[in-house]
């Protein structure tokens, strides 16, 4: 089963996900990683904190992603980012990566502690547009849910992260 990489990059102030040199750097990362993995790489910015970028992509396995991480190509890219990054969180979710589902303008991310039910007012029918999974390396980190939207969602429970697609392959932000 293919898995989903869900990573967050927190940039050092005063940088935002759209300030220079990030458009070009994120393009290089997408090209290099996608060529290596054969999965598209999608970028989303946290709408409440423009210094946080989320990366979604597919991998055949955790070990396949680890091979990319160790590769010279990825190490070169990491060096280019090193002085700009404050924090990086990487999760490998046991969710099959589905580009058709993930290729939307908005995603709501929710991390629900193990053993609790999600909270918040949500529109009817969201379950059909939501995938949830565990972090394969940190299963005690709770359930990680992604809900897909064509328009910016109006609900939130206060703990949700609303993510907006940036650097879409077909946009002028390439």
């Amino acid at each position: 089963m293919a898995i989903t990489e869900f990573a967050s990059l927190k940039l050092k102030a005063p940088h935002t996900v759209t300030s220079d040199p990030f458009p070009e750097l994120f393009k290089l990362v997408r090209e290099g990683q996608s060529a290596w993995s054969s999965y598209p790489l999608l970028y989303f910015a946290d709408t409440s904190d423009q210094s946080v970028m989320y990366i979604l992509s597919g991998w055949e396995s955790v070990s396949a992603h680890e091979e990319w991480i160790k590769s010279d190509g990825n190490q070169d890219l990491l060096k280019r980012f090193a002085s700009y990054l404050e924090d990086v969180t990487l999760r490998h979710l046991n969710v099959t990566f589905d580009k058709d589902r993930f290729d939307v303008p908005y995603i709501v991310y929710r991390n629900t502690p193990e053993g609790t039910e999600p909270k918040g007012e949500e529109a009817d029918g969201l379950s059909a547009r939501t995938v949830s999974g565990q972090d394969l390396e940190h299963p005690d980190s709770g359930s990680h849910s992604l809900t897909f939207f064509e328009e910016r969602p109006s609900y939130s429970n206060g703990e949700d992260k609303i993510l907006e697609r940036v650097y879409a392959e077909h946009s002028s932000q390439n």
Side-chain angles (χ1 to χ4, degrees), residues 76-96:
D76 289 342
L77 291 166
L78 289 174
K79 286 177 189 171
R80 291 181 179 209
F81 272 95
S83 65
Y84 301 110
L85 294 176
E86 182 176 312
D87 187 43
V88 176
T89 301
L90 175 62
R91 300 199 182 281
H92 293 109
L93 304 180
N94 62 347
V95 170
T96 300

Side-chain angles (χ1 to χ4, degrees), residues 10-23:
K10 170 76 172 161
L11 304 175
K12 292 179 183 176
H15 301 289
T16 68
V17 298
T18 57
S19 63
D20 283 330
F22 300 112

Side-chain angles (χ1 to χ4, degrees), residues 62-81:
V62 172
S63 61
H65 189 201
E66 289 170 345
E67 288 301 313
W68 162 247
I69 292 170
K70 292 187 284 187
S71 74
D72 290 342
N74 186 62
Q75 290 302 308
D76 289 342
L77 291 166
L78 289 174
K79 286 177 189 171
R80 291 181 179 209
F81 272 95

Side-chain angles (χ1 to χ4, degrees), residues 137-157:
E137 291 140 325
H138 303 283
D140 58 339
S141 67
S143 177
H144 302 272
S145 300
L146 304 169
T147 304
F148 310 100
F149 293 90
E150 291 297 328
E151 295 180 14
R152 186 176 173 136
S154 59
Y155 82 92
S156 178
N157 74 357

Side-chain angles (χ1 to χ4, degrees), residues 6-64:
F6 184 66
S8 67
L9 309 174
K10 170 76 172 161
L11 304 175
K12 292 179 183 176
H15 301 289
T16 68
V17 298
T18 57
S19 63
D20 283 330
F22 300 112
E24 184 60 28
L25 287 177
F26 286 128
K27 180 180 177 185
L28 292 172
V29 171
R30 179 177 53 230
E31 291 170 352
Q33 182 171 318
S34 294
W36 183 281
S37 71
S38 75
Y39 285 91
L41 189 145
L42 309 173
Y43 292 113
F44 290 84
D46 187 325
T47 59
S48 66
D49 185 350
Q50 289 292 301
S51 69
V52 180
M53 174 72 84
Y54 287 87
I55 295 173
L56 283 143
S57 190
W59 290 94
E60 289 304 314
S61 64
V62 172
S63 61

Side-chain angles (χ1 to χ4, degrees), residues 154-173:
S154 59
Y155 82 92
S156 178
N157 74 357
E159 297 174 21
D160 296 340
K161 301 250 185 241
I162 299 174
L163 313 180
E164 181 175 18
R165 180 82 183 267
V166 291
Y167 302 125
E169 295 152 275
H170 60 284
S171 82
S172 61
Q173 296 181 38

Side-chain angles (χ1 to χ4, degrees), residues 99-119:
K99 182 184 187 304
D100 292 336
R101 178 178 285 200
F102 287 26
D103 192 10
V104 294
Y106 295 95
I107 294 177
V108 172
Y109 167 66
R110 177 181 293 170
N111 179 213
T112 307
E114 202 61 36
T116 62
E117 292 297 317
K119 298 176 185 173

